[in-house]
């Protein structure tokens, strides 16, 4: 565990060096947050009432918590693992005393931490200044929301890690990565709340891991999910975290047996 936390700290420090990138990301998130909040308020005004359990403050919270978590939860994926498989550098990772999946997960948690502080918190504070934003109704909701955010980071990482490992068998995985990003962006609740989806699309989303990456923590932090429903939302995230991390270990083991690195 000590090694794991050292790797988390290293990931935090590594990404904290890109201060201008953090500032640019926060600015972009804030601009799009203002635009998205205005659109959702217009939709609620035209409906004349709440939509899918979202009133105006809850919808605003959905937008700004989503913008705050956009840099924290890595929805867009990463290419480091697939690049190391392509170059053969992944062999070095196999020689290290730490499981490669845990090592990359630790680094991603560090990345998530600095993005939450540098991009997420300023965005949510700006949203609270500009709009009437719903907050978690209790200390339990705050604590469960924090746990849910960590689980969201883990689920997103685990899914992206499996996609990266497909490079053991495929020469190029950009198409698969793009498909994962498009599908995930739709079904995770990035563009619209999942409860606003048609029944058939909402069913597909709820049977996928994608709402665990964004919709679940947002619902808890926006106060839309309370009481016993919080435990259900977090349990779903735990389920997908275990499933995807376990799948990652299986694929990593299979890829290791297939790996062949030629030196020169």
């Amino acid at each position: 565990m000590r090694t794991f936390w050292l790797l988390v700290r290293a990931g935090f420090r590594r990404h904290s060096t890109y201060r201008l990138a953090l500032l640019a990301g926060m600015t972009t998130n804030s601009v799009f947050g203002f635009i998205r909040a205005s659109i959702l308020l217009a939709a609620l005004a035209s409906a004349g009432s709440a939509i899918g359990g979202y009133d105006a403050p809850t919808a605003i919270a959905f937008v700004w918590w989503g913008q705050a978590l956009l840099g924290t939860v890595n929805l867009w994926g990463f290419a480091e693992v697939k690049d190391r498989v392509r170059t053969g550098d992944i062999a070095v990772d196999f020689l290290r005393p730490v499981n490669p999946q845990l090592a990359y997960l630790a680094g991603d948690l560090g990345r998530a931490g600095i993005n939450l502080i540098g991009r997420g918190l300023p965005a949510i504070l700006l949203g609270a200044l500009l709009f009437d934003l719903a907050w978690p109704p209790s200390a339990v909701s705050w604590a469960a929301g924090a746990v849910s955010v960590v689980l969201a980071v883990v689920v997103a990482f685990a899914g992206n890690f499996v996609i990266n490992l497909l490079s053991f068998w495929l020469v190029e995985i950009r198409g698969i990565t793009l498909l994962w990003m498009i599908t995930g962006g739709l079904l995770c609740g990035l563009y619209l709340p999942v409860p606003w989806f048609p029944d058939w699309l909402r069913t597909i989303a709820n049977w996928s891991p994608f709402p665990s990456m964004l919709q679940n923590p947002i619902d808890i932090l926006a106060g839309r999910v309370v009481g016993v429903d919080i435990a259900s939302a977090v349990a779903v995230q735990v389920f997908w975290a275990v499933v995807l991390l376990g799948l990652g270990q299986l694929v990593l083991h299979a890829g290791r047996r297939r790996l062949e690195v030629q030196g020169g």
Side-chain angles (χ1 to χ4, degrees):
M1 287 300 296
R2 182 175 181 274
T3 301
F4 183 83
W5 288 114
L6 286 174
L7 291 173
V8 171
R9 188 174 67 177
F12 185 96
R13 294 181 63 182
R14 173 188 175 187
H15 288 273
S16 66
T17 59
Y18 304 106
R19 295 180 179 86
L20 288 179
L22 291 172
L23 177 61
M26 187 274 292
T27 303
T28 303
N29 287 352
S30 300
V31 171
F32 278 97
F34 183 84
I35 296 172
R36 293 181 62 208
S38 301
I39 293 173
L40 261 63
L41 286 177
L44 288 170
S46 65
S49 62
I51 303 176
Y54 286 84
D55 57 12
T58 310
I60 292 300
F62 165 82
V63 169
W64 285 100
W65 279 115
Q67 294 303 113
L69 296 178
L70 191 56
T72 304
V73 181
N74 195 349
L75 299 174
W76 313 124
F78 51 86
E80 184 176 0
V81 176
K82 81 173 182 65
D83 289 341
R84 291 181 69 82
V85 172
R86 179 178 56 82
T87 61
D89 291 339
I90 192 71
V92 178
D93 295 333
F94 287 135
L95 294 175
R96 290 169 177 161
V98 180
N99 184 283
Q101 185 190 52
L102 293 180
Y104 285 108
L105 173 59
D108 196 59
L109 288 171
R111 176 207 57 78
I114 186 59
N115 275 274
L116 179 61
I117 295 172
R119 293 176 57 174
L121 295 183
I124 196 68
L125 292 175
L126 179 61
L129 290 174
L130 296 175
F131 297 91
D132 180 17
L133 185 149
W135 295 98
S138 66
V140 172
S141 294
W142 277 106
V147 172
S148 184
V149 169
V150 174
L151 287 171
V153 173
V154 173
V155 173
F157 163 83
N160 286 314
F161 188 76
V162 172
I163 297 298
N164 270 252
L165 293 181
L166 296 180
S167 56
F168 279 115
W169 292 270
L170 302 175
V171 176
E172 182 55 69
I173 65 167
R174 279 183 293 182
I176 297 175
T177 302
L178 182 61
L179 179 62
W180 175 267
M181 289 170 53
I182 293 173
T183 305
L186 173 65
L187 299 182
C188 75
L190 174 61
Y191 308 124
L192 287 174
V194 171
W196 289 19
F197 290 177
D199 290 342
W200 64 271
L201 184 57
R202 185 167 64 249
T203 300
I204 293 174
N206 289 333
W207 279 94
S208 76
F210 298 113
S212 294
M213 302 177 188
L214 197 64
Q215 183 71 56
N216 287 15
I218 289 177
D219 276 346
I220 295 173
L221 292 169
R224 181 179 176 273
V225 171
V226 295
V228 179
D229 292 336
I230 290 179
S232 298
V234 172
V236 170
Q237 290 183 281
V238 171
F239 169 79
W240 281 114
V242 171
V243 168
L244 291 176
L245 287 174
L247 179 61
Q249 284 295 316
L250 292 175
V251 178
L252 184 65
H253 181 70
R256 183 171 187 169
R257 288 186 300 173
R258 179 181 176 81
L259 180 66
E260 180 177 331
V261 179
Q262 296 181 356

